Amino acid sequence: MLGNEREKIRHLLVVQDLGGHRTVPLQETTYSLGRHPANTIVLASRSVSMQHAILLRVTVPETDQYGFQIIDGNYKGKASTNGLFVNGNKCFSHNLRNGDIIAFGGNQAQAKYYAISNLSEEAFSESRNVEDLSGFLSEQASPANPFQTLAVDPRFEAASESALARLASFPELIPNPIIEMDFEGTVTYLNPAATLKFPKLREVGMQHPILTGLLSAINNLEKNSFVREVEVGTEVFEQSVLYLPESDLIRTFIIRDITEQKQATTELRQRDRLLQAVAEAANYLLGEINYETGIHRALAVLGEAALADRVYLFQNHPHPVTGEMAVSLRFEWTHSFIESTHQHWQNQPYQASGLARWYSVLSRGQSINGLTHKFPIAEQQFLIRDGIQSLLLVPLCFENEFWGYLGLADCTFERHWSKHEESTLLTMAASIIGTQQRQQVEEKIRYQALHDVLTGLPNRLLFNELLGKTLPNATRNGESLAVIFVDLDRFKVINDTLGHTLGDLLLQSVAQRLQDSLRGGDTIARWGGDEFTILLPRINDIEEVTLVANRILQALEDAFHLQGHELYVTASLGIALLDGNSPDAERLIQHADAALYYAKDKGRNNYQFYSVSLSAKNPELLTLEKSLRYALERQEFTVYYQPRVNIGTEEITGMEALLRWQHPEMGLVAPSVFIPLAEESGLIVSIGEWVLRTACSQNKTWQDTGLPPITIAVNLSLKQFRQSKLLETIAEVLEQTGLEARFLELEITESTAIENLDFTKTVLENLQQMGVYISIDDFGTGHSSLSRLQLLPLHNLKIDKSFIQDLTHDVKVAHIVKAIVGLGQSLGLKLTAEGVETEEELAFLRSINCDEVQGFLFYRPVSAKIATEILESKRPII
């Protein structure tokens, strides 16, 4: 039916599934149908695949009408599980005709297709809400105006096959512009997205920014492809260019619109300039003895960084004649080509000058920001006189009173001042007021610089200062003194479990009890985190120090009742006395710290005095443990990834996340050294959660870039596995990173699994319900057996590398590995061999049908960047 003979054909799909009955008007070019909620048309039935079929609009030759073809499977060509049936016949693709009945894998999900004309727009829209579509259509029809169905030309079949071929390469449907041109510079193909985005591309030809320079660029290529940035008007795009010499073609693909990214980068640079300017200006304001010189320099730095034409500083004051509130310009910076307006802005009364609005707004702490032509007429007169096209003013408040205001002006163009520029100006205003208050608050600033904000105790700086002053007195008077290091045992567990707010309250209460335990004249300081230092001057007997140490331990014995919680906390104390071994402040603190960690080794909740023997007791390990406590917050950890390979296809099926610690002084610390320390101290819980989050986020990033989905394996230590919030933490990480549970594999060791089988089974069953995969790591090194492990819901068994290393020269080991593989597979487990380094080992494992391998023969653990490059190199070529 030709479009100019009758009204256009309307296309409807009536769907019936377990969710009920609904009508879908078909108006788009493509539809995906399947069980997954991401489909355009969602089918509620377990017999339907996640992505079961595609509806593709295909133009009928020599007409302006179109029909629809239904194709089995998803966009990647993967067929549905239970098949596609049209009018009872199974098919891969079918050109739909009016009345066709479509079944998706069974009778639970079906659809009927209508292609009819003479249906009004109103009726077409209404059709989606009616239950009986056939009855509804009958009511709409009349003998004088009967419905017509789509007449399909026989050539339509061929046309649909051509469209299907085009669908296979997918350029027609991709929302990204695709352009092809020959070596003469002639555009040979534009997909619909390209035509829509660049309508004049064919007309402009090689002069168009998308095509400019391509012919010369391919002559200098070392590879057949490259990526570049192009600007089209105000937009910026990332363009991939592929040179196809065998087809005499250059194909370009617009990867993404990076206009906003570029704008954001420009804004970030401007922010950096402004932040640097604020810092530099603050140095002038604080460093210059002459206040006026400091202000002039600060305003100049700000004006240059903000690319402004004027920077003002106004001050409020009573008018010298009338006494009413007036304003005067005290300081001004202008560009070299801008004239000063200093004389115009002296003793201007707010009310009489028409600036009452400025006073009202600014005195409330609000800013004034806008273009001159949008200001009230009275205000415009002042601004136009000074050639100002846009203005930004922020208030200056001194001791809660409206003191004046700071301003930026542009005389070149109508500029819209950003929130960040306003924030910068407010920061500058605060710095300027700070110089006014400097004399008044100098003592307060000194107090804040030398005291801990949370507890009010002296901080590390003041403690060192007091210790430095006390040492000469003690030496002169023939007395000793003691430095005590106090560290709360397992405070981090309370802080992480109950929150930082409660942790802060606990630190405040602990600080008070510690202070109450001391003698008059003793000093306690918060050293940092949950560590405190105590200075005991005038020591004549070691018993005096022992009494104080015991009082401290006793003071912490009673429970802390905070926000409805009953908390118990103990402490470890390290003590150093002023003597020949600890003769100065630096060594006193260092030796007290060493004694503290010796006290922790002794089981915590005790005190230890420093002795010379402690210096020989593995000081590097003590230092390492201390550094480990801050490694996470200092971002010293990184995650490496080691690919896991299918032994048959040698394709990468997964990655294992491996923690690495780059110590700023010691370099790369071996996991065998720091992991036991982290486990012992309890830090492994927070570190392990960071590894889990980082690995899941990285895997989601790989998926989002279009790489084939793989699993990411993360090791769980015993303490991680035993923590009560494990399931909650894993669920939260998956939700926040957006990674589906089936792409996460958690690895536990044999010893962790069998320590408490009932507990392990409960946890693993919950993880299995979440969809997470479970592996037993280092199998063969513990004391379990497959007969015991079969009680657990496991998916993968990783054979320890110690077996693999002995595989080719110890027959007994070879038999053991073969038995493990055979028995594991009989239990439905996937077998992975770790530490594969030689071709002989690989050949043996292949001969016994081991599933997967991991080791240096294929890949070493690598950074996320290199792992990404490896995955990119394995990406299937479409």
Side-chain angles (χ1 to χ4, degrees):
M1 177 188 299
L2 296 178
N4 58 1
E5 293 180 0
R6 298 183 183 276
E7 285 190 72
K8 65 180 179 181
I9 300 293
R10 310 282 189 171
H11 302 267
L12 302 169
L13 193 69
V14 180
V15 179
Q16 178 70 47
D17 57 16
L18 296 179
H21 174 281
R22 60 194 182 280
T23 300
V24 181
L26 302 178
Q27 298 169 302
E28 305 297 331
T29 56
T30 59
Y31 294 84
S32 59
L33 302 90
R35 194 172 78 245
H36 194 276
N39 286 286
T40 317
I41 301 174
V42 180
L43 303 172
S45 169
R46 297 296 298 179
S47 64
V48 174
S49 297
M50 300 297 282
Q51 293 175 315
H52 199 104
I54 303 165
L55 265 181
L56 171 67
R57 180 195 290 185
V58 184
T59 303
V60 178
E62 299 180 7
T63 76
D64 59 357
Q65 295 291 350
Y66 59 84
F68 277 90
Q69 182 176 57
I70 190 162
I71 303 160
D72 183 61
N74 61 17
Y75 286 122
K76 296 181 180 179
K78 182 180 179 182
S80 65
T81 302
N82 295 320
L84 180 72
F85 299 84
V86 179
N87 301 326
N89 298 316
K90 187 174 183 179
C91 58
F92 167 70
S93 66
H94 179 79
N95 293 310
L96 292 175
R97 293 174 176 79
N98 184 62
D100 280 350
I101 305 295
I102 309 160
F104 302 91
N107 295 325
Q108 292 181 337
Q110 294 187 349
K112 185 174 182 180
Y113 171 74
Y114 291 88
I116 56 177
S117 66
N118 292 334
L119 187 65
S120 68
E121 189 70 38
E122 180 181 358
F124 183 57
S125 299
E126 188 180 346
S127 64
R128 72 174 65 203
N129 300 318
V130 301
E131 292 189 9
D132 180 10
L133 182 63
S134 297
F136 174 77
L137 295 175
S138 298
E139 292 174 4
Q140 298 296 317
S142 67
N145 191 28
F147 291 122
Q148 299 292 325
T149 61
L150 179 67
V152 181
D153 191 284
R155 289 169 294 174
F156 181 49
E157 289 292 337
S160 66
E161 289 301 321
S162 171
L164 186 57
R166 175 62 75 182
L167 176 65
S169 62
F170 213 39
E172 291 292 311
L173 305 180
I174 269 188
N176 300 63
I178 299 175
I179 305 104
E180 292 179 354
M181 59 180 279
D182 60 23
F183 294 162
E184 303 299 322
T186 303
V187 175
T188 58
Y189 172 71
L190 297 174
N191 76 338
T195 303
L196 182 64
K197 189 66 181 176
F198 309 116
K200 296 185 177 181
L201 193 142
R202 285 187 188 274
E203 177 185 337
V204 177
M206 293 301 296
Q207 302 306 312
H208 196 282
I210 292 295
L211 304 180
T212 299
L214 288 187
L215 289 177
S216 58
I218 64 172
N219 293 326
N220 302 315
L221 282 181
E222 293 182 2
K223 298 181 179 179
N224 281 6
S225 64
F226 63 91
V227 176
R228 68 175 187 173
E229 292 180 6
V230 292
E231 292 186 20
V232 182
T234 60
E235 297 177 294
V236 186
F237 300 95
E238 190 174 67
Q239 178 186 23
S240 173
V241 180
L242 180 63
Y243 168 44
L244 303 170
E246 67 278 6
S247 303
D248 292 335
L249 279 179
I250 301 171
R251 178 179 296 147
T252 76
F253 180 88
I254 303 302
I255 301 172
R256 59 194 176 113
D257 184 336
I258 57 173
T259 307
E260 291 185 3
Q261 176 184 321
K262 286 291 185 181
Q263 291 172 345
T265 301
T266 302
E267 289 177 8
L268 284 173
R269 289 196 186 116
Q270 174 67 354
R271 290 183 184 187
D272 288 343
R273 277 200 304 270
L274 289 172
L275 289 172
Q276 185 176 353
V278 168
E280 189 176 344
N283 285 334
Y284 288 135
L285 292 169
L286 296 173
E288 284 287 346
I289 297 175
N290 185 295
Y291 169 70
E292 292 193 2
T293 301
I295 289 288
H296 278 300
R297 288 188 173 183
L299 296 186
V301 167
L302 177 62
E304 294 286 356
L307 305 177
D309 292 326
R310 299 180 189 274
V311 187
Y312 300 111
L313 195 157
F314 292 87
Q315 183 180 351
N316 298 327
H317 59 89
H319 193 277
V321 177
T322 64
E324 63 181 308
M325 185 58 69
V327 65
S328 293
L329 179 59
R330 292 297 184 224
F331 301 97
E332 178 188 30
W333 171 88
T334 65
H335 246 304
S336 56
F337 56 86
I338 303 293
E339 292 185 7
S340 172
T341 58
H342 194 274
Q343 70 278 9
H344 298 160
W345 288 95
Q346 299 302 314
N347 302 318
Q348 293 287 346
Y350 279 104
Q351 196 67 39
S353 300
L355 300 176
R357 184 182 74 94
W358 287 18
Y359 187 88
S360 174
V361 172
L362 293 166
S363 64
R364 294 197 302 268
Q366 298 173 356
S367 303
I368 290 176
N369 184 351
L371 306 178
T372 296
H373 73 267
K374 293 186 177 181
F375 280 62
I377 297 298
E379 298 172 13
Q380 284 186 38
Q381 292 174 353
F382 283 97
L383 302 179
I384 292 172
R385 177 197 64 194
D386 297 339
I388 295 172
Q389 297 198 43
S390 63
L391 183 68
L392 171 63
L393 302 175
V394 299
L396 292 164
C397 296
F398 181 72
E399 294 182 345
N400 296 322
E401 290 189 7
F402 177 37
W403 183 86
Y405 47 93
L406 188 64
L408 292 173
D410 200 302
C411 304
T412 309
F413 60 91
E414 293 186 337
R415 175 174 179 173
H416 294 275
W417 302 96
S418 69
K419 283 291 183 183
H420 188 75
E421 288 165 329
E422 181 179 338
S423 175
T424 300
L425 199 59
L426 286 166
T427 304
M428 179 67 79
S431 296
I432 290 171
I433 288 297
T435 61
Q436 296 279 336
Q437 297 171 318
R438 182 166 53 193
Q439 296 301 320
Q440 299 181 26
V441 301
E442 195 170 64
E443 286 303 316
K444 182 179 179 181
I445 291 173
R446 175 171 170 77
Y447 178 87
Q448 291 175 338
L450 297 174
H451 289 77
D452 175 55
V453 175
L454 179 65
T455 61
L457 297 176
N459 61 14
R460 181 185 303 200
L461 187 64
L462 181 55
F463 184 85
N464 287 332
E465 185 178 308
L466 293 173
L467 178 58
K469 290 179 179 178
T470 307
L471 276 171
N473 293 333
T475 304
R476 186 168 50 252
N477 298 330
E479 300 172 334
S480 183
L481 59 81
V483 171
I484 303 177
F485 244 110
V486 181
D487 184 273
L488 302 184
D489 299 328
R490 299 183 178 87
F491 169 77
K492 184 168 177 50
V493 175
I494 296 175
N495 206 38
D496 290 344
T497 305
L498 300 178
H500 295 287
T501 300
L502 194 63
D504 288 347
L505 292 175
L506 179 59
L507 286 174
Q508 290 171 334
S509 299
V510 166
Q512 187 59 55
R513 289 196 191 181
L514 293 178
Q515 202 161 22
D516 294 342
S517 304
L518 303 181
R519 312 169 305 170
D522 296 340
T523 299
I524 179 173
R526 186 180 179 201
W527 193 254
D530 58 348
E531 290 184 325
F532 299 85
T533 46
I534 297 171
L535 171 61
L536 305 181
R538 300 182 305 278
I539 296 295
N540 297 307
D541 192 320
I542 196 171
E543 289 299 323
E544 297 178 64
V545 183
T546 302
L547 287 172
V548 172
N550 282 319
R551 281 203 303 270
I552 290 172
L553 296 177
Q554 290 169 5
L556 299 177
E557 287 180 354
D558 293 336
F560 292 85
H561 297 278
L562 300 169
Q563 293 187 344
H565 294 276
E566 185 177 82
L567 305 175
Y568 291 88
V569 66
T570 59
S572 299
L573 280 63
I575 306 170
L577 298 173
L578 176 64
D579 55 22
N581 296 318
S582 308
D584 52 45
E586 182 179 354
R587 275 179 281 189
L588 274 166
I589 292 172
Q590 180 183 347
H591 292 165
D593 195 21
L596 166 66
Y597 279 90
Y598 184 53
K600 284 186 173 292
D601 284 344
K602 289 291 186 182
R604 297 178 167 82
N605 194 26
N606 71 95
Y607 61 85
Q608 297 293 327
F609 283 89
Y610 173 78
S611 64
V612 178
S613 61
L614 273 184
S615 296
K617 188 182 183 324
N618 202 354
E620 284 140 353
L621 204 57
L622 294 174
T623 303
L624 196 64
E625 183 177 349
K626 187 173 181 66
S627 298
L628 188 61
R629 296 167 67 84
Y630 305 104
L632 190 59
E633 65 184 70
R634 291 172 180 167
Q635 298 181 342
E636 294 171 4
F637 288 123
T638 187
V639 176
Y640 272 44
Y641 300 90
Q642 186 174 29
R644 191 168 63 203
V645 176
N646 181 288
I647 202 167
T649 64
E650 297 191 1
E651 293 180 352
I652 294 175
T653 58
M655 290 277 188
E656 181 177 1
L658 300 167
L659 179 63
R660 296 292 183 265
W661 180 18
Q662 186 68 40
H663 193 281
E665 296 170 359
M666 302 179 191
L668 198 62
V669 184
S672 59
V673 174
F674 75 83
I675 293 294
L677 290 176
E679 184 79 19
E680 179 185 348
S681 64
L683 294 171
I684 195 68
V685 174
S686 56
I687 294 172
E689 181 179 339
W690 178 84
V691 173
L692 177 67
R693 191 179 305 277
T694 302
C696 288
S697 178
Q698 180 61 66
N699 199 17
K700 186 63 169 66
T701 299
W702 285 330
Q703 293 182 11
D704 290 345
T705 58
L707 291 169
I710 58 173
T711 58
I712 190 78
V714 180
N715 292 281
L716 290 182
S717 72
L718 177 61
K719 282 194 175 177
Q720 282 179 277
F721 190 69
R722 293 292 176 192
Q723 62 168 320
S724 59
K725 296 175 64 178
L726 175 66
L727 296 171
E728 180 183 335
T729 299
I730 292 170
E732 180 183 290
V733 168
L734 289 172
E735 181 181 358
Q736 290 176 353
T737 61
L739 183 69
E740 294 181 42
R742 62 195 176 103
F743 296 119
L744 173 63
E745 181 175 320
L746 297 176
E747 297 185 358
I748 60 173
T749 62
E750 278 185 84
S751 54
T752 299
I754 67 170
E755 184 176 276
N756 185 333
L757 272 175
D758 291 337
F759 174 83
T760 301
K761 186 177 181 182
T762 301
V763 174
L764 296 189
E765 284 175 348
N766 286 328
L767 288 172
Q768 187 182 48
Q769 288 178 5
M770 289 170 60
V772 174
Y773 281 78
I774 309 296
S775 289
I776 293 295
D777 193 20
D778 300 337
F779 181 75
T781 59
H783 302 286
S784 67
S785 65
L786 283 175
S787 59
R788 297 178 71 186
L789 293 178
Q790 70 174 324
L791 301 174
L792 303 175
L794 303 174
H795 302 90
N796 197 4
L797 203 65
K798 301 188 75 174
I799 306 170
D800 186 67
K801 62 182 179 182
S802 60
F803 285 96
I804 307 304
Q805 290 168 354
D806 296 334
L807 190 63
T808 56
H809 53 267
D810 191 328
V811 175
K812 291 181 180 179
V813 172
H815 285 307
I816 291 172
V817 172
K818 184 175 181 180
I820 292 174
V821 171
L823 186 54
Q825 290 178 339
S826 69
L827 295 175
L829 301 177
K830 182 177 288 186
L831 276 296
T832 302
E834 297 183 291
V836 178
E837 297 184 1
T838 68
E839 291 289 350
E840 290 82 1
E841 293 166 355
L842 180 64
F844 177 84
L845 292 166
R846 185 178 283 126
S847 71
I848 62 172
N849 297 320
C850 184
D851 299 300
E852 296 175 333
V853 293
Q854 189 175 331
F856 291 178
L857 179 61
F858 287 96
Y859 302 101
R860 293 176 177 269
V862 294
S863 65
K865 179 178 181 295
I866 296 176
T868 302
E869 293 172 357
I870 291 172
L871 292 174
E872 288 282 1
S873 69
K874 298 293 183 180
R875 185 198 290 264
I877 300 175
I878 299 177

